[in-house]
Amino acid sequence: MSGRMKAVLAAAKGKDWRRKKAKAQGGRCFYCQCEMVEEPVKGQGRRELTLDHLLPTSRGGAHHWENVVAACITCNGAKGDMTADEFMAARMAPAPALSRNPMIEKGQP
Ligand SMILES: [Zn+2]
């Protein structure tokens, strides 16, 4: 199966999973516990609900119910192809003393 076909199938499955996973998690992001919505409204401060693979598919993770969690779009983007454990550790880790936090330097909109 081509990568593109896999992505299409994953997206079709994902729609339903997104909702179910989010419900199972009380509508909160698996990583940061923020409240998520399927269709965020500007100015409400809520983030879009996405599906994230605990072990990224790029690293051999399966698109399997057990390997998927509901995560906000911010965490999903920040996680990239880290595993859930790596990402949690990265979130907990204090900012390196010698380098400034790039998020602060860039400035939040
Ligand atoms: Zn989050």
Side-chain angles (χ1 to χ4, degrees), residues 29 31-34 47 71-72 75:
C29 172
Y31 301 109
C32 73
Q33 303 298 310
C34 77
R47 297 172 185 167
C72 73
C75 287

Side-chain angles (χ1 to χ4, degrees), residues 5-105:
M5 196 58 209
K6 264 189 199 166
V8 170
L9 285 177
K13 248 188 194 174
K15 243 186 173 178
D16 200 35
W17 282 16
R18 246 178 20 153
R19 212 167 285 158
K20 286 186 184 164
K21 278 285 174 187
K23 206 176 165 196
Q25 291 169 212
R28 293 186 180 270
C29 172
F30 181 79
Y31 301 109
C32 73
Q33 303 298 310
C34 77
E35 224 177 303
M36 303 178 295
V37 286
E38 278 189 62
E39 287 173 41
V41 178
K42 260 197 171 175
Q44 280 195 350
R46 291 192 189 163
R47 297 172 185 167
E48 186 177 344
L49 156 62
T50 64
L51 275 184
D52 183 60
H53 294 91
L54 293 170
L55 179 64
T57 50
S58 61
R59 291 171 65 172
H63 190 70
H64 185 275
W65 177 257
E66 300 284 324
N67 189 40
V68 164
V69 292
C72 73
I73 197 160
T74 307
C75 287
N76 200 335
K79 182 169 169 285
D81 63 358
M82 282 190 263
T83 67
D85 285 346
E86 285 167 358
F87 182 56
M88 289 303 240
R91 289 191 72 223
M92 296 300 168
L98 293 176
S99 68
R100 278 193 235 154
N101 187 337
M103 294 299 282
I104 292 169
E105 216 156 30

